[in-house]
Amino acid sequence: GCLARVVTVSPGPLIRVEGQPVSIRCDVSDYGGPREQDFEWMMSREPKGLRIKIISTFDASYSHASLSKRVASGDISVVRLQDNEVELKIAEVKSQDAGFYWCQTPSTDSVISGNYEAQVQLTVIPNTLRVSSQTPPPVVPEGSDFTLSCNVTRELTHPTYLSVTWSVKRGTTSEEILTFGPQGDVVAGPKFARRYADGGIRLVPGRNGLFELVITRVTSSDEGIYECNGTEWTHENGGKWIKIVESTREMGTVAVTPTGQSLSVKASSSSSTPSSTSLLLSPGNTLTLLCSVAADNLPALALEVTWLADGRDIITMERSGVVISNTSSSGAQGKRGEASLERTGAGEYRLGVRGVRGEDGGVYTCRIRAFIEKGGRRWHMAAEKTSSPVTVKVLQINPSFTLTLEHILNPQMTAEPTELACHVTNITHLPPGGRLGVTWEHTTLPGIGDDPQTSHPIGSLDGHGNLLLESMYSDRLKSGLLSLTRVQPNTFKLRFLRTQEIDMGQYVCTVSAWSVNSQGDMVKTAEHQSSPLTVRWDTKRPSLNVVAKVTREASVGGATFEMSCTVATENLGEAGYSVLIQSQESLVSNVKTIMTLSPDNVLQHGGATDPNRRDSLVLTKSGPAEFRFRLAGVQLSDRGFYWCDITAWTKQQPGQTWTRATSAESNKVRIDFQENGPSFSITIQSDASSVYPWETAKLKCSLSVSGSSPKTDDLAYEVRWFFTRLRGGETTTQVASVDRFGVVKKDTRNSSSDISVERKDTHTYMLNIHGTQDSDSGEYHCVATPWYLSASTGAWTQAGELTSSRVFLTVRFAVWESLQLPLLYGVVASIG
């Protein structure tokens, strides 16, 4: 396509200030020929006036004679920025430089096309910018405000604009604080933006070019050299703001006096004697202390006031004016009197404590923390100071009281309880909140325990009511065998649940009075000891008496024997018992242990006990001091003498092992009986003496027992049945039998009938003959052998054989009937 050369310059008109540098750019585009283009600059004071050559990029002699010296000196120069762009520079523009400027490009195109020059107007105005300032205060107290006043003016001949900038220089570093203009906008420096947003920096525009910057609540970081800068601007076509001239003035150095340098704090007991450093009060008086605060910048400070006693905060007035008291809280500080704090004037604060006690004494100081608001509810603690101390003393009167120690329970023997009461009476000068504590001590009697006599602390209750244990008695205290209590406000008790011989001796109680000191700690203010009280008793050896008696007599084998053993003690308190049941066949035979019962009620069988008979043996504790032994199903081998061997055991305290105290044997009781076995008898009977053929005959064999009848389960019989054809015949045939285990056996017979054996009950057996025949006629009897479980020996015993009487059974067979049967058989056969 076709190229058309285009030459452009900076948009105008250009307004510049006399004496200031000027730069005018020129570039060419859409051209032919080499990449690097040459440029020529000309100017004319009138749009169509004579053009004066200024400078060329390729011809050193191009400049007009009137400008050659300025070109040679470098006041006027051309700088190549790119192959197709240059910049005309005038170091210090003069008023005669105002006019129209042309930028030309010699043609390198093959075809002349486009524009080869461009024009811009330059207006040069005189430098009328004036910047002046007021010197700020050289020293500013921390927290106060100061103002930076700066005056910026110029003569308005052309449309130019002004801006003012404040900055602070610390060393070689300068930081912008705030800029106003040129469009009327405000821009804060990066380090001052938040402070400006919070209102800590304010701009106050005035009239006739006066601008004021107010910096509030200054801190040490605001120290430095402050400067004011005024700048004149022009707004060219294209929307660009061009700085055409500026002027900077150093306003002065500002130093900030730290609050701590001027802050002073004084504490005194009253306004009349501000230098007093000590105060003596009586209990119940009101304590008044004053805290005076002074500072150069006191109105700019927010104060936090705290009164301390012995280094501990007791009351604080926050910078908001809210008062927080630590004397009403729980804990050590809660023991002090109620404090109040009020502001009585500028920098004046008064502490009041009503109804002082000894605990309110101590070293009082006033601590001040000075805060400066940084804006946005942010605070900076500028200083902290504490006054010199004021010593407050409260007269103390030590408590007084009387002690009485007495027996409540006085033991008469070992293991009985002991209780002592320590009464506190006639109590005076015990301050409110004061408490009583007690310490118990024991001194052994000569010859008992330690030798020589020594005193042992038992335990104590301190002012807080805490129980403090001594190692010698700690186990008994923890197990509850020993207790220290406060049963009434002014009575303390010491109690031994089981007094031992080593506990005999002299006892004293030492009562102490406790109150809260100025640090809030419980301290002992008085102590009194009671007169000694002796605890002792006559020591006697413990003894046992055991009585055995028969409660159930065993007169026959298989019966139950029972005896009881009752224990009576002397000189023995609460105890546990172990029991041995022992026996011997005669008074000279060996002793056997049947069974034992431990003090913890653990039952064991002796080695002489038959394991099969252990279920028949019972040993129980039937009362506090009574034991019962039972032997069921006595046998001949059980005959002999029986007695109890009982041992008494004691414990010093629960959880400890048993200690043997004494033992004794009871009197002996006897099991003696004669064995008479049971007697048996037998009978037989028939339900009918004669039957017809094919009927069932029943023969019952009945047995009976007398004497020491065994139980049903302990008795069995062997029964046999015999038969003979002849009445009174000697030769008999066994028909059937049943053994003692119930097994039935039938013997071979010359008969077509059948038989069965039936046991009706333990003593009754039935022989049944089914379908009787003539061959069943004859004489029958039964023979029985009893077996029983002997209660005396525990073994199955065979008694003597028993034979019943005989019964005759007739099977009738009539003649007519004998004729009738064949006829019946014939009729049946013919019909069939």
Side-chain angles (χ1 to χ4, degrees):
C2 296
L3 293 177
R5 178 183 292 253
V6 178
V7 178
T8 57
V9 294
S10 301
L14 304 179
I15 301 175
R16 297 294 183 267
V17 176
E18 185 178 4
Q20 298 299 310
V22 174
S23 297
I24 304 175
R25 291 192 179 188
C26 176
D27 66 78
V28 59
S29 61
D30 298 333
Y31 57 89
R35 289 174 56 87
E36 185 176 281
Q37 296 289 297
D38 286 314
F39 295 85
E40 296 173 341
W41 287 92
M42 295 178 292
M43 67 88 62
S44 171
R45 290 183 175 83
E46 299 297 332
K48 298 184 181 299
L50 179 66
R51 295 184 183 185
I52 302 172
K53 295 180 179 179
I54 303 173
I55 193 167
S56 171
T57 59
F58 64 93
D59 184 2
S61 60
Y62 179 79
S63 303
H64 188 270
S66 62
L67 299 175
S68 58
K69 289 184 179 180
R70 294 178 67 184
V71 172
S73 67
D75 183 39
I76 297 175
S77 61
V78 63
V79 177
R80 183 179 291 278
L81 301 179
Q82 296 183 51
D83 291 341
N84 64 330
E85 184 179 9
V86 296
E87 186 177 51
L88 174 66
K89 299 177 73 69
I90 302 176
E92 292 183 4
V93 71
K94 304 179 184 302
S95 60
Q96 60 267 28
D97 294 332
F100 297 88
Y101 284 74
W102 282 271
C103 173
Q104 290 183 343
T105 59
S107 176
T108 59
D109 303 324
S110 58
V111 176
I112 300 300
S113 177
N115 67 308
Y116 287 81
E117 66 178 18
Q119 177 201 42
V120 63
Q121 182 182 4
L122 173 64
T123 301
V124 179
I125 63 175
N127 187 356
T128 59
L129 179 66
R130 300 290 180 267
V131 177
S132 62
S133 66
Q134 296 181 10
T135 303
V139 179
V140 180
E142 186 178 18
S144 61
D145 306 343
F146 70 92
T147 302
L148 299 173
S149 298
C150 187
N151 192 282
V152 180
T153 61
R154 55 93 172 79
E155 293 181 6
L156 185 61
T157 58
H158 288 78
T160 60
Y161 304 86
L162 295 178
S163 71
V164 59
T165 299
W166 289 268
S167 60
V168 60
K169 185 165 61 176
R170 303 182 185 92
T172 60
T173 304
S174 180
E175 296 175 351
E176 285 192 6
I177 301 173
L178 183 137
T179 298
F180 175 63
Q183 300 183 81
D185 54 334
V186 177
V187 178
K191 293 188 177 180
F192 296 88
R194 181 171 182 179
R195 191 170 176 184
Y196 173 74
D198 292 338
I201 298 175
R202 302 195 310 271
L203 175 65
V204 184
R207 293 183 178 182
N208 301 320
L210 178 64
F211 299 91
E212 291 183 336
L213 186 69
V214 181
I215 300 179
T216 64
R217 300 183 288 269
V218 299
T219 63
S220 59
S221 63
D222 293 319
E223 292 184 327
I225 301 172
Y226 285 85
E227 296 177 332
C228 174
N229 173 277
T231 303
E232 189 172 0
W233 302 77
T234 180
H235 192 228
E236 297 181 349
N237 290 335
K240 290 177 59 179
W241 284 96
I242 304 298
K243 181 190 299 185
I244 58 176
V245 67
E246 66 176 340
S247 177
T248 300
R249 293 288 182 269
E250 185 177 294
M251 306 180 72
T253 301
V254 175
V256 178
T257 303
T259 301
Q261 187 172 318
S262 64
L263 180 66
S264 65
V265 184
K266 292 183 180 180
S268 60
S269 58
S270 67
S271 58
S272 59
T273 56
S275 61
S276 60
T277 59
S278 64
L279 183 63
L280 182 63
L281 299 174
S282 298
N285 290 162
T286 298
L287 168 64
T288 303
L289 295 177
L290 302 178
C291 182
S292 302
V293 185
D296 292 345
N297 57 339
L298 188 62
L301 301 178
L303 301 180
E304 179 188 278
V305 184
T306 300
W307 278 98
L308 302 93
D310 294 329
R312 298 184 181 182
D313 296 6
I314 58 172
I315 194 168
T316 298
M317 179 182 288
E318 296 182 336
R319 59 176 181 264
S320 62
V322 176
V323 177
I324 300 175
S325 174
N326 294 325
T327 59
S328 59
S329 61
S330 60
Q333 292 296 325
K335 308 304 179 185
R336 292 186 172 275
E338 190 69 27
S340 62
L341 179 59
E342 59 182 337
R343 182 174 181 268
T344 58
E348 298 290 332
Y349 299 88
R350 180 169 61 197
L351 169 70
V353 180
R354 292 183 297 176
V356 297
R357 300 174 293 175
E359 296 80 3
D360 295 310
V363 176
Y364 285 74
T365 53
C366 176
R367 183 185 69 208
I368 299 296
R369 289 175 176 166
F371 291 84
I372 296 174
E373 187 178 7
K374 298 175 67 176
R377 297 183 180 180
R378 294 180 297 123
W379 293 87
H380 161 67
M381 190 174 78
E384 176 180 328
K385 279 198 175 179
T386 302
S387 71
S388 56
V390 175
T391 302
V392 177
K393 296 182 180 178
V394 180
L395 294 174
Q396 290 290 328
I397 303 175
N398 290 334
S400 176
F401 45 83
T402 304
L403 301 182
T404 304
L405 183 60
E406 65 172 354
H407 292 102
I408 302 298
L409 294 174
N410 195 12
Q412 302 302 313
M413 58 184 294
T414 303
E416 285 190 348
T418 299
E419 188 172 310
L420 307 179
C422 183
H423 302 287
V424 187
T425 56
N426 303 323
I427 302 174
T428 58
H429 305 302
L430 184 64
R435 296 183 179 182
L436 299 177
V438 67
T439 299
W440 292 91
E441 293 185 12
H442 167 239
T443 303
T444 57
L445 291 176
I448 297 179
D450 296 339
D451 194 18
Q453 287 179 270
T454 55
S455 178
H456 297 288
I458 299 172
S460 60
L461 293 169
D462 65 8
H464 293 288
N466 299 319
L467 176 61
L468 307 177
L469 308 179
E470 299 297 333
S471 58
M472 185 174 176
Y473 291 88
S474 61
D475 289 342
R476 297 170 74 180
L477 279 163
K478 291 176 182 177
S479 64
L481 292 176
L482 175 63
S483 63
L484 281 70
T485 56
R486 183 174 183 169
V487 295
Q488 294 177 4
N490 302 321
T491 299
F492 299 94
K493 284 190 176 184
L494 171 68
R495 180 180 176 89
F496 291 90
L497 189 62
R498 295 171 55 84
T499 313
Q500 307 300 319
E501 291 185 19
I502 198 173
D503 296 326
M504 288 194 290
Q506 290 186 331
Y507 290 82
V508 295
C509 65
T510 302
V511 175
S512 53
W514 297 74
S515 59
V516 183
N517 67 2
S518 58
Q519 285 77 31
D521 300 321
M522 293 292 290
V523 294
K524 188 187 299 182
T525 56
E527 186 174 81
H528 295 283
Q529 188 178 80
S530 71
S531 300
L533 182 66
T534 301
V535 175
R536 69 179 304 164
W537 62 88
D538 293 332
T539 57
K540 298 177 181 179
R541 299 294 300 174
S543 63
L544 290 181
N545 182 36
V546 185
V547 176
K549 64 178 180 179
V550 176
T551 55
R552 289 180 69 177
E553 186 78 39
S555 58
V556 296
T560 298
F561 168 75
E562 186 177 276
M563 73 172 181
S564 68
C565 292
T566 305
V567 183
T569 64
E570 290 185 4
N571 305 318
L572 184 67
E574 185 178 349
Y577 300 99
S578 63
V579 182
L580 278 70
I581 303 299
Q582 297 184 313
S583 71
Q584 59 184 165
E585 292 182 12
S586 65
L587 296 177
V588 296
S589 59
N590 294 331
V591 176
K592 298 183 294 185
T593 299
I594 307 299
M595 58 197 320
T596 64
L597 186 67
S598 73
D600 296 315
N601 293 322
V602 176
L603 183 68
Q604 290 184 323
H605 291 276
T609 304
D610 183 355
N612 296 323
R613 299 190 63 198
R614 288 183 176 177
D615 291 341
S616 301
L617 299 172
V618 178
L619 176 58
T620 60
K621 185 175 182 180
S622 55
E626 184 182 32
F627 300 88
R628 286 184 180 270
F629 168 69
R630 182 183 303 117
L631 172 58
V634 296
Q635 302 176 2
L636 290 174
S637 58
D638 297 326
R639 292 185 294 186
F641 297 93
Y642 290 79
W643 69 96
C644 296
D645 186 344
I646 295 182
T647 302
W649 304 79
T650 59
K651 281 186 178 182
Q652 297 297 317
Q653 61 188 46
Q656 288 189 344
T657 57
W658 291 100
T659 301
R660 183 182 182 278
T662 184
S663 63
E665 289 185 353
S666 71
N667 55 302
K668 298 179 180 180
V669 298
R670 191 174 185 183
I671 297 177
D672 188 19
F673 64 91
Q674 297 298 322
E675 175 62 26
N676 294 318
S679 299
F680 298 92
S681 61
I682 188 170
T683 60
I684 188 172
Q685 62 184 34
S686 174
D687 59 344
S689 58
S690 63
V691 294
Y692 289 102
W694 305 102
E695 290 185 339
T696 298
K698 295 179 180 291
L699 302 175
K700 180 168 66 174
C701 185
S702 302
L703 295 114
S704 60
V705 60
S706 60
S708 56
S709 302
K711 297 178 181 177
T712 302
D713 292 340
D714 297 341
L715 180 63
Y717 298 97
E718 290 180 0
V719 182
R720 292 173 293 160
W721 299 86
F722 294 90
F723 166 73
T724 180
R725 294 282 294 176
L726 302 175
R727 189 184 296 273
E730 295 296 330
T731 303
T732 61
T733 302
Q734 184 169 309
V735 177
S737 64
V738 56
D739 63 14
R740 63 189 178 106
F741 303 107
V743 178
V744 176
K745 180 181 178 183
K746 294 188 289 184
D747 292 275
T748 304
R749 300 185 303 119
N750 271 342
S751 176
S752 60
S753 61
D754 192 13
I755 62 172
S756 65
V757 176
E758 179 184 0
R759 181 186 177 188
K760 304 294 287 185
D761 55 40
T762 303
H763 306 288
T764 306
Y765 294 82
M766 187 77 72
L767 176 64
N768 300 309
I769 304 173
H770 307 281
T772 53
Q773 300 297 320
D774 179 60
S775 57
D776 294 321
S777 296
E779 209 168 48
Y780 292 84
H781 71 275
C782 59
V783 177
T785 303
W787 290 81
Y788 62 93
L789 186 65
S790 174
S792 303
T793 64
W796 282 94
T797 304
Q798 180 180 354
E801 188 175 82
L802 304 172
T803 303
S804 71
S805 58
R806 299 187 180 190
V807 294
F808 196 87
L809 177 65
T810 302
V811 180
R812 295 187 295 172
F813 201 78
V815 175
W816 167 244
E817 290 170 350
S818 64
L819 293 174
Q820 223 171 14
L821 285 174
L823 292 174
L824 290 173
Y825 294 156
V827 172
V828 172
S830 63
I831 294 173

PDB file of all heavy atoms in Angstrom, residues 21-36:
ATOM      1  N   PRO A  21      13.497  24.600  32.447  1.00  0.00           N
ATOM      2  CA  PRO A  21      13.790  23.795  31.262  1.00  0.00           C
ATOM      3  C   PRO A  21      12.521  23.527  30.459  1.00  0.00           C
ATOM      4  O   PRO A  21      11.419  23.464  31.003  1.00  0.00           O
ATOM      5  CB  PRO A  21      14.375  22.517  31.831  1.00  0.00           C
ATOM      6  CG  PRO A  21      13.817  22.414  33.209  1.00  0.00           C
ATOM      7  CD  PRO A  21      13.677  23.826  33.702  1.00  0.00           C
ATOM      8  N   VAL A  22      12.739  23.372  29.092  1.00  0.00           N
ATOM      9  CA  VAL A  22      11.623  23.074  28.194  1.00  0.00           C
ATOM     10  C   VAL A  22      12.040  21.894  27.325  1.00  0.00           C
ATOM     11  O   VAL A  22      13.189  21.851  26.849  1.00  0.00           O
ATOM     12  CB  VAL A  22      11.247  24.294  27.320  1.00  0.00           C
ATOM     13  CG1 VAL A  22      10.175  23.917  26.293  1.00  0.00           C
ATOM     14  CG2 VAL A  22      10.784  25.450  28.170  1.00  0.00           C
ATOM     15  N   SER A  23      11.123  20.960  27.091  1.00  0.00           N
ATOM     16  CA  SER A  23      11.348  19.816  26.200  1.00  0.00           C
ATOM     17  C   SER A  23      10.166  19.721  25.256  1.00  0.00           C
ATOM     18  O   SER A  23       9.002  19.782  25.690  1.00  0.00           O
ATOM     19  CB  SER A  23      11.489  18.512  26.982  1.00  0.00           C
ATOM     20  OG  SER A  23      12.616  18.558  27.819  1.00  0.00           O
ATOM     21  N   ILE A  24      10.513  19.620  23.897  1.00  0.00           N
ATOM     22  CA  ILE A  24       9.464  19.466  22.902  1.00  0.00           C
ATOM     23  C   ILE A  24       9.845  18.245  22.069  1.00  0.00           C
ATOM     24  O   ILE A  24      10.948  18.203  21.505  1.00  0.00           O
ATOM     25  CB  ILE A  24       9.341  20.699  22.005  1.00  0.00           C
ATOM     26  CG1 ILE A  24       9.118  21.955  22.847  1.00  0.00           C
ATOM     27  CG2 ILE A  24       8.202  20.523  21.002  1.00  0.00           C
ATOM     28  CD1 ILE A  24       9.116  23.241  22.043  1.00  0.00           C
ATOM     29  N   ARG A  25       8.973  17.263  21.995  1.00  0.00           N
ATOM     30  CA  ARG A  25       9.256  16.038  21.267  1.00  0.00           C
ATOM     31  C   ARG A  25       8.684  16.104  19.847  1.00  0.00           C
ATOM     32  O   ARG A  25       7.651  16.749  19.604  1.00  0.00           O
ATOM     33  CB  ARG A  25       8.693  14.825  21.996  1.00  0.00           C
ATOM     34  CG  ARG A  25       9.407  14.529  23.271  1.00  0.00           C
ATOM     35  CD  ARG A  25       9.017  13.181  23.820  1.00  0.00           C
ATOM     36  NE  ARG A  25       9.741  12.885  25.049  1.00  0.00           N
ATOM     37  CZ  ARG A  25       9.716  11.713  25.661  1.00  0.00           C
ATOM     38  NH1 ARG A  25       8.983  10.724  25.149  1.00  0.00           N
ATOM     39  NH2 ARG A  25      10.392  11.528  26.762  1.00  0.00           N
ATOM     40  N   CYS A  26       9.388  15.347  18.932  1.00  0.00           N
ATOM     41  CA  CYS A  26       8.940  15.266  17.555  1.00  0.00           C
ATOM     42  C   CYS A  26       9.228  13.867  17.043  1.00  0.00           C
ATOM     43  O   CYS A  26      10.322  13.328  17.294  1.00  0.00           O
ATOM     44  CB  CYS A  26       9.678  16.304  16.686  1.00  0.00           C
ATOM     45  SG  CYS A  26       9.245  16.193  14.916  1.00  0.00           S
ATOM     46  N   ASP A  27       8.296  13.263  16.330  1.00  0.00           N
ATOM     47  CA  ASP A  27       8.522  11.930  15.772  1.00  0.00           C
ATOM     48  C   ASP A  27       7.892  11.857  14.389  1.00  0.00           C
ATOM     49  O   ASP A  27       7.010  12.659  14.051  1.00  0.00           O
ATOM     50  CB  ASP A  27       7.955  10.843  16.679  1.00  0.00           C
ATOM     51  CG  ASP A  27       6.457  10.894  16.770  1.00  0.00           C
ATOM     52  OD1 ASP A  27       5.771  10.441  15.834  1.00  0.00           O
ATOM     53  OD2 ASP A  27       5.945  11.368  17.836  1.00  0.00           O
ATOM     54  N   VAL A  28       8.377  10.914  13.571  1.00  0.00           N
ATOM     55  CA  VAL A  28       7.894  10.706  12.223  1.00  0.00           C
ATOM     56  C   VAL A  28       7.490   9.260  12.067  1.00  0.00           C
ATOM     57  O   VAL A  28       8.139   8.368  12.632  1.00  0.00           O
ATOM     58  CB  VAL A  28       8.964  11.094  11.174  1.00  0.00           C
ATOM     59  CG1 VAL A  28      10.234  10.282  11.355  1.00  0.00           C
ATOM     60  CG2 VAL A  28       8.415  10.932   9.751  1.00  0.00           C
ATOM     61  N   SER A  29       6.470   9.018  11.252  1.00  0.00           N
ATOM     62  CA  SER A  29       6.007   7.656  11.033  1.00  0.00           C
ATOM     63  C   SER A  29       5.558   7.517   9.587  1.00  0.00           C
ATOM     64  O   SER A  29       5.363   8.513   8.879  1.00  0.00           O
ATOM     65  CB  SER A  29       4.869   7.308  11.993  1.00  0.00           C
ATOM     66  OG  SER A  29       3.767   8.171  11.784  1.00  0.00           O
ATOM     67  N   ASP A  30       5.392   6.267   9.147  1.00  0.00           N
ATOM     68  CA  ASP A  30       4.914   5.942   7.801  1.00  0.00           C
ATOM     69  C   ASP A  30       5.809   6.566   6.716  1.00  0.00           C
ATOM     70  O   ASP A  30       5.341   7.231   5.788  1.00  0.00           O
ATOM     71  CB  ASP A  30       3.465   6.392   7.602  1.00  0.00           C
ATOM     72  CG  ASP A  30       2.513   5.692   8.566  1.00  0.00           C
ATOM     73  OD1 ASP A  30       2.841   4.553   8.987  1.00  0.00           O
ATOM     74  OD2 ASP A  30       1.469   6.279   8.915  1.00  0.00           O
ATOM     75  N   TYR A  31       7.078   6.393   6.904  1.00  0.00           N
ATOM     76  CA  TYR A  31       8.024   6.993   5.970  1.00  0.00           C
ATOM     77  C   TYR A  31       8.740   5.896   5.214  1.00  0.00           C
ATOM     78  O   TYR A  31       8.731   4.725   5.590  1.00  0.00           O
ATOM     79  CB  TYR A  31       9.023   7.887   6.699  1.00  0.00           C
ATOM     80  CG  TYR A  31       9.805   7.174   7.783  1.00  0.00           C
ATOM     81  CD1 TYR A  31      11.012   6.520   7.488  1.00  0.00           C
ATOM     82  CD2 TYR A  31       9.329   7.152   9.094  1.00  0.00           C
ATOM     83  CE1 TYR A  31      11.709   5.863   8.481  1.00  0.00           C
ATOM     84  CE2 TYR A  31      10.019   6.499  10.074  1.00  0.00           C
ATOM     85  CZ  TYR A  31      11.216   5.853   9.778  1.00  0.00           C
ATOM     86  OH  TYR A  31      11.912   5.190  10.764  1.00  0.00           O
ATOM     87  N   GLY A  32       9.442   6.276   4.096  1.00  0.00           N
ATOM     88  CA  GLY A  32      10.288   5.368   3.330  1.00  0.00           C
ATOM     89  C   GLY A  32      11.744   5.731   3.521  1.00  0.00           C
ATOM     90  O   GLY A  32      12.088   6.763   4.100  1.00  0.00           O
ATOM     91  N   GLY A  33      12.607   4.858   3.039  1.00  0.00           N
ATOM     92  CA  GLY A  33      14.029   5.144   3.168  1.00  0.00           C
ATOM     93  C   GLY A  33      14.622   4.528   4.417  1.00  0.00           C
ATOM     94  O   GLY A  33      14.070   3.580   4.996  1.00  0.00           O
ATOM     95  N   PRO A  34      15.793   5.051   4.859  1.00  0.00           N
ATOM     96  CA  PRO A  34      16.475   4.456   6.030  1.00  0.00           C
ATOM     97  C   PRO A  34      15.636   4.577   7.292  1.00  0.00           C
ATOM     98  O   PRO A  34      14.796   5.464   7.417  1.00  0.00           O
ATOM     99  CB  PRO A  34      17.774   5.252   6.095  1.00  0.00           C
ATOM    100  CG  PRO A  34      17.484   6.538   5.415  1.00  0.00           C
ATOM    101  CD  PRO A  34      16.515   6.225   4.315  1.00  0.00           C
ATOM    102  N   ARG A  35      15.993   3.687   8.255  1.00  0.00           N
ATOM    103  CA  ARG A  35      15.241   3.685   9.534  1.00  0.00           C
ATOM    104  C   ARG A  35      15.507   4.977  10.298  1.00  0.00           C
ATOM    105  O   ARG A  35      14.597   5.527  10.883  1.00  0.00           O
ATOM    106  CB  ARG A  35      15.663   2.482  10.389  1.00  0.00           C
ATOM    107  CG  ARG A  35      15.168   1.152   9.842  1.00  0.00           C
ATOM    108  CD  ARG A  35      15.761   0.008  10.675  1.00  0.00           C
ATOM    109  NE  ARG A  35      15.455   0.157  12.094  1.00  0.00           N
ATOM    110  CZ  ARG A  35      14.350  -0.300  12.668  1.00  0.00           C
ATOM    111  NH1 ARG A  35      13.440  -0.939  11.928  1.00  0.00           N
ATOM    112  NH2 ARG A  35      14.134  -0.136  13.939  1.00  0.00           N
ATOM    113  N   GLU A  36      16.777   5.403  10.319  1.00  0.00           N
ATOM    114  CA  GLU A  36      17.107   6.595  11.086  1.00  0.00           C
ATOM    115  C   GLU A  36      16.793   7.825  10.253  1.00  0.00           C
ATOM    116  O   GLU A  36      17.320   7.998   9.142  1.00  0.00           O
ATOM    117  CB  GLU A  36      18.579   6.583  11.481  1.00  0.00           C
ATOM    118  CG  GLU A  36      18.950   7.749  12.391  1.00  0.00           C
ATOM    119  CD  GLU A  36      20.398   7.680  12.849  1.00  0.00           C
ATOM    120  OE1 GLU A  36      20.671   6.884  13.781  1.00  0.00           O
ATOM    121  OE2 GLU A  36      21.229   8.391  12.280  1.00  0.00           O
TER     122      GLU A  36
END
